[in-house]
Amino acid sequence: MSLTPQGQDRVPEQRRHGGGARPGHVPDGDRKRRRRRVLRWSAMVLAVVILGTAGAGYLYYQHLNANIKKDDLNIGDKKDRAAESKANEAGQTPLNILLIGSDARNSKENQKLGGAKDTYNTAPRADVQMLLHLSADRTNMSVVSMPRDTLVDIPQCTDPDTGKSYSALTSEITNDSLGRGGPGCTVATWEKLTDIHIDHFMMIDFAGVVSMADAIGGVPVCVDANIHSKSSDGHGSGLKLKKGTTYVKGVQALQWLRTRYGFEDNTDIARAKAQHQYMNAMVRQLRESATLSNPNELRKLAETATNALTVDDGLGNVAKLYDLSKELKKVPTKRITMTTMPWQYSTTNSGRVVPRPGDAAKLFRLVREDIALDGKDKKRSAKTTTSSDPAAADNRIAVQVQNGTRSSTRLAVTGRAGAIARLLVGKGFTEAVADSSTILSEDETVIRYPSADLQGDAQRIAKSLGIPLSSVKKSTDVSGVTLVVGADWRSGTKYTTTEDDDTTPASAQVINGSDKKQCMHVNPNYTW
């Protein structure tokens, strides 16, 4: 599920360090890398679904336990970690599981599948990243994919095996996080970006995907015209299907998952859509398949899945995975929602993408607040916690105002900190001052305070400006009440909140798990 501009691919010498892209020529190594990415993705998805549907088939726990590899959950700096998810009124807690597809070529099998001999045993990359959110009441599940070339801030990470410390990085591609100490650094990167607490991770290599696709008897996929993903200059996966629905398995399933040239606009966005369609169809197929009642077939699936898994200690044996499977099975297919993190191309780094301002933050908030992305939750009443410590008099509340209107695509609005500081002074907060020395990047306006005795003051500032109390947050990064004017308030003196808008952004490209009418549009240049 990579994202590069149309017609561009990585050049071989830049693979390890996430180098730029160039148009035209598609080296053999790049085609092999696409195949590997698909293998990783498919193995990951299949393993997760198997665990969510085939619990009764685990007939030999101890043998399977020995297959599972384990690693540390979060190896980032403690200050970058998100707070644990809050329980609902019934005492139930949501589960957030980061699914990671690794491109490691650290075994003969992975090397055979992966090729690229020059990268054997080099630092792995997290080319596939999906956050699976299981709601607290277990009525719905949301999956958020992040494009592999998304530019993010990677926190400081420490390798738990060697003790090596990797310094924090700014605006680096997210898939490089895995090579900085292991999957725990990818988890830390997600938490820093989204402020979503991650309970577990499951990392999958790319071995066994073809045999697993065969074992479940094929997955139904649909195209709206005959397709042959093959061009005169060598582009394409080789996929050849007739118009309508086909059950793909083995090599053909692999071709479907790696097809970019031939679907819609020949981009990785269309490829991601095809992968989501395949995943949803596979979930339905696995849940309906009689194959899963056959102990021998089930054993083969379980064997392959556990051999491919690396998990945190919290999921470190089959009994724990079985407990998770029982939770996943509670969600009906019609309440599974697949999305892609809203994104846009970077204006400063060709071929890379960045979280789409506003939309990405909103999607992360919905997940963080356990709001179903399919829009079928009951309307929730707004709840805020008012400080028990009363605020000081307005003219005695010290508040520092900072400019956070800069984004990855837009420059900061000059003078915003001063303008809002003057607005506060005019409202009677005479100790409000602007910090003109600092320019930040903050998607949404936020008020931070360092300790409980200042919560009331921070909330008083929020109320005076019409900022929701949910935007008032405790933080050890500030020494006093600090208002950061975000990219959502680039002009004017009236703050407009979208807090009550809990609809999933259209840019998240929602696909529902029960939608059997999904059908990929074929690019007219790739029909036969």
Side-chain angles (χ1 to χ4, degrees):
M1 302 205 311
S2 59
L3 287 172
T4 53
Q6 181 174 342
Q8 293 187 3
D9 297 276
R10 294 181 187 274
V11 293
E13 63 271 17
Q14 294 172 320
R15 284 179 184 139
R16 180 176 178 183
H17 300 291
R22 64 185 176 90
H25 176 62
V26 181
D28 289 342
D30 282 353
R31 287 193 287 272
K32 292 176 181 177
R33 289 186 66 82
R34 288 192 199 131
R35 186 178 298 111
R36 292 195 302 273
R37 287 198 294 271
V38 171
L39 284 165
R40 290 191 300 276
W41 180 89
S42 300
M44 173 185 67
V45 171
L46 284 163
V48 171
V49 176
I50 287 164
L51 292 172
T53 58
Y58 290 119
L59 305 178
Y60 53 127
Y61 278 7
Q62 295 306 315
H63 171 72
L64 294 178
N65 282 341
N67 290 343
I68 302 170
K69 298 174 285 294
K70 295 181 284 293
D71 213 321
D72 287 17
L73 175 61
N74 191 320
I75 59 173
D77 196 309
K78 290 184 178 180
K79 69 179 179 62
D80 295 312
R81 297 183 184 178
E84 292 188 8
S85 303
K86 295 181 180 179
N88 62 15
E89 293 179 353
Q92 301 165 303
T93 306
L95 274 177
N96 295 306
I97 305 168
L98 187 63
L99 312 177
I100 304 170
S102 167
D103 74 349
R105 286 168 298 282
N106 54 357
S107 68
K108 289 183 178 179
E109 185 177 12
N110 283 337
Q111 180 63 45
K112 182 179 179 180
L113 287 168
K117 295 180 180 180
D118 58 318
T119 60
Y120 183 74
N121 259 345
T122 56
R125 295 189 300 184
D127 272 358
V128 176
Q129 299 175 31
M130 293 182 177
L131 179 64
L132 185 154
H133 173 81
L134 183 61
S135 67
D137 60 9
R138 305 307 190 246
T139 63
N140 65 89
M141 182 192 305
S142 302
V143 178
V144 180
S145 300
M146 184 189 294
R148 67 187 176 106
D149 286 342
T150 303
L151 297 175
V152 297
D153 291 343
I154 301 178
Q156 176 182 331
C157 293
T158 303
D159 190 321
D161 296 322
T162 66
K164 180 179 178 180
S165 179
Y166 296 84
S167 59
L169 297 175
T170 301
S171 194
E172 283 289 327
I173 54 174
T174 184
N175 66 350
D176 279 352
S177 59
L178 182 60
R180 298 168 59 79
C185 193
T186 304
V187 169
T189 301
W190 269 78
E191 288 203 0
K192 181 177 177 63
L193 174 68
T194 67
D195 199 28
I196 296 170
H197 176 75
I198 295 175
D199 302 283
H200 302 291
F201 75 81
M202 299 174 69
M203 184 169 71
I204 315 294
D205 61 23
F206 43 77
V209 63
V210 172
S211 61
M212 292 174 74
D214 284 336
I216 63 175
V219 172
V221 297
C222 175
V223 289
D224 66 1
N226 294 351
I227 180 175
H228 188 195
S229 179
K230 188 74 173 178
S231 66
S232 58
D233 57 357
H235 288 130
S237 67
L239 178 71
K240 190 172 185 178
L241 296 176
K242 291 183 178 180
K243 177 181 178 180
T245 299
T246 303
Y247 277 75
V248 295
K249 58 182 180 178
V251 173
Q252 204 169 44
L254 177 64
Q255 290 173 333
W256 173 274
L257 291 169
R258 65 183 285 252
T259 294
R260 173 170 56 154
Y261 295 99
F263 287 150
E264 299 185 353
D265 57 355
N266 295 343
T267 67
D268 280 319
I269 306 307
R271 175 159 58 187
K273 183 178 178 180
Q275 291 170 346
H276 286 172
Q277 181 188 136
Y278 182 93
M279 180 175 182
N280 282 333
M282 183 176 57
V283 170
R284 296 192 299 268
Q285 186 70 10
L286 281 167
R287 291 189 173 187
E288 298 169 0
S289 176
T291 299
L292 296 181
S293 64
N294 183 319
N296 289 330
E297 297 298 327
L298 199 56
R299 187 159 33 244
K300 286 192 292 185
L301 287 171
E303 189 81 39
T304 303
T306 53
N307 268 316
L309 278 175
T310 300
V311 299
D312 63 281
D313 287 333
L315 293 178
N317 59 55
V318 174
K320 293 176 180 177
L321 290 170
Y322 176 58
D323 288 341
L324 173 62
S325 79
K326 292 189 295 184
E327 298 301 298
L328 294 172
K329 287 169 65 176
K330 294 177 182 178
V331 180
T333 306
K334 65 182 180 181
R335 296 300 309 277
I336 297 175
T337 306
M338 295 288 301
T339 66
T340 298
M341 179 199 76
W343 60 272
Q344 62 189 34
Y345 284 113
S346 169
T347 58
T348 59
N349 195 328
S350 177
R352 307 303 186 202
V353 301
V354 295
R356 185 182 182 91
D359 282 5
K362 181 181 181 182
L363 185 67
F364 296 148
R365 176 181 68 80
L366 295 177
V367 174
R368 191 165 55 244
E369 296 179 4
D370 196 25
I371 298 172
L373 299 186
D374 61 6
K376 295 179 181 178
D377 271 348
K378 293 181 179 179
K379 183 67 176 178
R380 305 185 183 196
S381 57
K383 290 187 177 181
T384 56
T385 302
T386 304
S387 173
S388 58
D389 185 41
D394 289 355
N395 63 355
R396 299 193 62 184
I397 295 178
V399 55
Q400 185 179 73
V401 184
Q402 296 178 332
N403 187 341
T405 58
R406 183 185 64 198
S407 73
S408 56
T409 59
R410 305 176 73 181
L411 297 175
V413 178
T414 304
R416 282 304 284 165
I420 302 305
R422 290 190 294 273
L423 175 63
L424 284 169
V425 170
K427 290 177 175 288
F429 298 91
T430 54
E431 292 193 29
V433 295
D435 176 9
S436 58
S437 65
T438 303
I439 299 294
L440 303 173
S441 178
E442 201 80 50
D443 280 343
E444 297 179 339
T445 298
V446 63
I447 301 173
R448 298 187 173 99
Y449 64 94
S451 54
D453 60 310
L454 291 177
Q455 183 183 21
D457 290 359
Q459 290 184 345
R460 173 62 189 142
I461 293 291
K463 184 177 181 180
S464 71
L465 294 173
I467 297 171
L469 293 189
S470 60
S471 296
V472 178
K473 303 179 183 296
K474 185 177 180 180
S475 173
T476 57
D477 292 337
V478 296
S479 57
V481 177
T482 304
L483 164 62
V484 183
V485 184
D488 60 344
W489 198 11
R490 292 175 62 87
S491 62
T493 57
K494 183 179 180 181
Y495 181 76
T496 302
T497 178
T498 59
E499 182 187 45
D500 294 331
D501 178 12
D502 289 341
T503 57
T504 301
S507 55
Q509 303 174 339
V510 171
I511 296 179
N512 184 270
S514 64
D515 183 5
K516 296 183 179 181
K517 296 182 180 180
Q518 297 168 26
C519 200
M520 290 301 298
H521 174 61
V522 175
N523 187 303
N525 294 324
Y526 289 83
T527 59
W528 57 279

